[in-house]
Amino acid sequence: FWVSIQYILPGEIATAHRHMASALRFIMQGEGADTTVDGEMYQINEGDLVLTPNWTWHDHEHKGSEPMVWIDVLDISLVRSCHAVFFEDFDMARQTPNVIPDESYRRFGSGLMRPQGQPERRKYSPVLAYTRAMSEEALRQAAGLDPDPFDDVILEYQNPVTGEPALPTIGTRLQMLRPGTHTRAHRHTGSAVYYVIRGEGATIINGQRYDWAKGDFLALPPWATHEHLNTGKSEVLLFQVNDLPALEKLGFYREEPV
């Protein structure tokens, strides 16, 4: 997969288009933008995760007063390897939002309850925007459970209808390392990239220590032995993106403690 940083100024518009690659955005800084995906419009602010599933029409506009910065992730490397790259522009700069612009969120956004009847089973999550308030509260609730020996407190953004990852080829997780945490070492197939939302710590990868702090990125290669440390006095919060769902579907995923 491919990870980049996008900087968008007030008044800028990313015109409507669609492509075969799946994409997502995690907002690093700022507020006031909105995104429309297949007619569903959502406001996006710092700490939110927004999905752009493959071959869905999407556009963005920044209506705020200060620049915004977000992480852009696409599985374009996988799509290119499969020789399946397609791209198409919409016939207008922006889509017209649906009458109920956040209908899917209203139906499935609680993650716990859903409307009566059998919902349409899509390849991707019907919830296209995961808010910071919702995800961080869920993580705090999980912090009351026994820690994961390799990741301390970690949750995956999921498809609320199927329980599978929100996107079929890209995994997204939110992770907390509590003060004093030093996780056990393990390794797995598949790659991961971490963005440090807050806090400071270090990750030991194949015996080499990499210190990091708020705003940093860390890339984890496949089958690399790794362990995490919180070296500060407050909790660490990490956003993680990975390609594990694709490997799991292909039967290529393997994990082992070290």
Side-chain angles (χ1 to χ4, degrees), residues 42-252:
Y42 295 92
Q43 303 297 315
I44 51 177
N45 301 298
E46 185 172 328
D48 293 350
L49 171 66
V50 182
L51 307 182
T52 308
N54 74 315
W55 211 237
T56 56
W57 296 110
H58 56 282
D59 55 76
H60 324 290
E61 182 175 0
H62 185 10
K63 299 174 181 176
S65 58
E66 299 291 335
M68 288 186 70
V69 187
W70 61 60
I71 303 167
D72 253 354
V73 180
L74 296 95
D75 60 358
I76 187 64
S77 304
L78 174 62
V79 175
R80 285 173 176 164
S81 297
C82 294
H83 303 281
V85 177
F86 294 92
F87 182 97
E88 185 177 358
D89 282 316
F90 198 58
D91 55 9
M92 296 185 295
R94 299 213 69 192
Q95 304 167 68
T96 301
N98 296 338
V99 175
I100 304 176
D102 58 348
E103 181 176 352
S104 290
Y105 189 85
R106 289 175 181 270
R107 289 181 181 274
F108 304 106
S110 74
L112 299 174
M113 305 183 74
R114 68 187 190 199
Q116 180 175 293
Q118 185 65 33
E120 177 187 358
R121 295 181 70 87
R122 306 178 185 177
K123 296 178 295 182
Y124 52 84
S125 172
V127 176
L128 301 174
Y130 296 75
T131 65
R132 174 182 182 177
M134 178 277 297
S135 57
E136 292 195 12
E137 174 59 25
L139 197 67
R140 292 192 184 281
Q141 293 292 334
L145 303 173
D146 292 336
D148 183 287
F150 307 113
D151 293 300
D152 197 13
V153 185
I154 189 164
L155 292 176
E156 181 162 27
Y157 295 86
Q158 71 162 354
N159 179 333
V161 175
T162 65
E164 296 180 349
L167 290 171
T169 55
I170 304 174
T172 47
R173 299 175 179 179
L174 197 64
Q175 181 174 359
M176 179 192 296
L177 300 176
R178 290 168 286 195
T181 294
H182 186 163
T183 66
R184 286 186 58 192
H186 72 144
R187 59 185 179 181
H188 50 70
T189 53
S191 304
V193 171
Y194 298 83
Y195 165 64
V196 185
I197 300 172
R198 60 176 175 263
E200 57 187 37
T203 299
I204 301 172
I205 302 177
N206 288 337
Q208 183 170 348
R209 175 172 168 146
Y210 298 88
D211 291 284
W212 39 256
K214 179 181 178 180
D216 289 346
F217 286 84
L218 178 75
L220 178 68
W223 206 239
T225 300
H226 58 285
E227 55 196 283
H228 306 295
L229 298 83
N230 180 340
T231 59
K233 296 181 179 179
S234 58
E235 68 184 27
V236 163
L237 199 62
L238 304 170
F239 172 72
Q240 179 196 146
V241 60
N242 60 64
D243 54 7
L244 305 189
L247 271 72
E248 288 170 344
K249 288 179 173 63
L250 292 168
F252 296 160

